[in-house]
Amino acid sequence: MINADPSELDKFSQLAHRWWDPTSEFRPLHEINPLRLEWIDGLAGLAGKRVLDIGCGGGILSEGMAGKGARVTGIDLSDKALAVARLHLLESGAAVDYRKVSAEELAAESPGEFDVVTCMEMLEHVPNPGSVVAACAALVKPGGHVFFSTINRNPKAYLFAVIGAEYVLKMLPKGTHDYAKFIKPSDLARWAKSVGLPPQAVIGMSYNPLSKQYWLGSDTSVNYLMHTLRES
């Protein structure tokens, strides 16, 4: 059984044609991409690395990593998102290989094939996030890097990520996030450690609605990113 929620896939498939419009519902992804890209590159050194982007969607991060000199494979289960990602390659000229396959399926097919694995803004949208974390561990080479980003689970995260972003600021469509699926850093760290991915760093991402600016810092109470290394 594929680790995916059909309603989640349908939700993002309906918006797929707007993925590369920086004024659309995907505006936050466009705005945070430079921050997360530089953070990943600074820790993993993307140039020349074989990289897997799990839950790549329309390819914003995948293309960014390819631009840093990585050999990128992007995987997703949304046909429409992948079609948009492939179409955008005709404009950008980026070299990314997009595939419709789950992380678990690819882990069984190509274990230990990647130097770097990214799984960004995806864990909170699947029925079994721990299974995806385990697949990441299987896919990355010993000593390789795995990066996650997701949303913390606490009242502040609900206020900011759901009420604020979806209902007040209307940065995201209503229903984008389900608070019950948010993940505490301690839970993500526990899943990662259990499959040989000890966390190396956790950093928060914050947003100021007045200046409309994002930044990385120590506040992990809402959005956060985690860097792990595969044990040798």
Side-chain angles (χ1 to χ4, degrees):
M1 183 176 179
I2 293 178
N3 181 22
D5 182 338
S7 64
E8 292 279 356
L9 290 176
D10 183 62
K11 179 167 55 183
F12 288 101
S13 292
Q14 290 182 28
L15 298 171
H17 65 288
R18 296 172 63 81
W19 213 289
W20 282 94
D21 179 356
T23 66
S24 73
E25 297 89 344
F26 295 103
R27 177 179 173 179
L29 284 184
H30 287 272
E31 294 182 343
I32 68 175
N33 197 57
L35 290 174
R36 61 185 186 173
L37 178 61
E38 292 304 321
W39 187 69
I40 293 167
D41 188 36
L43 290 167
L46 291 170
K49 299 288 176 63
R50 189 170 182 198
V51 178
L52 175 67
D53 186 18
I54 297 174
C56 64
I60 295 172
L61 179 60
S62 295
E63 285 204 16
M65 293 191 292
K68 293 288 187 180
R71 292 172 292 141
V72 181
T73 298
I75 65 172
D76 206 286
L77 293 175
S78 168
D79 288 306
K80 289 184 179 180
L82 290 171
V84 168
R86 293 184 180 114
L87 185 63
H88 195 265
L89 295 181
L90 300 177
E91 293 182 31
S92 67
V96 182
D97 177 28
Y98 290 114
R99 294 186 57 189
K100 183 184 179 182
V101 63
S102 72
E104 291 88 347
E105 290 172 318
L106 189 60
E109 173 189 318
S110 305
E113 288 291 315
F114 299 93
D115 302 296
V116 179
V117 175
T118 61
C119 181
M120 318 299 275
E121 287 82 47
M122 185 261 199
L123 291 177
E124 69 272 21
H125 295 289
V126 298
N128 187 353
S131 174
V132 177
V133 174
C136 291
L139 284 157
V140 74
K141 297 177 180 178
H145 304 261
V146 180
F147 296 89
F148 301 102
S149 72
T150 188
I151 306 175
N152 205 335
R153 191 174 75 250
N154 57 51
K156 181 180 177 181
Y158 178 74
L159 179 63
F160 280 71
V162 179
I163 301 301
E166 297 182 18
Y167 290 85
V168 178
L169 300 176
K170 297 181 180 178
M171 297 166 61
L172 300 169
K174 294 177 182 177
T176 295
H177 293 116
D178 179 354
Y179 175 72
K181 294 182 179 179
F182 289 1
I183 301 167
K184 293 181 179 180
S186 58
D187 289 334
L188 180 52
R190 175 168 49 82
W191 296 335
K193 288 178 184 176
S194 73
V195 292
L197 291 175
Q200 306 299 302
V202 180
I203 191 168
M205 180 176 289
S206 302
Y207 177 73
N208 185 323
L210 297 179
S211 64
K212 298 183 179 180
Q213 295 293 314
Y214 292 88
W215 70 93
L216 299 179
S218 59
D219 185 359
T220 60
S221 59
V222 183
N223 297 87
Y224 66 95
L225 302 91
M226 183 177 291
H227 171 221
T228 70
L229 277 180
R230 184 70 169 97
E231 290 177 334
S232 300

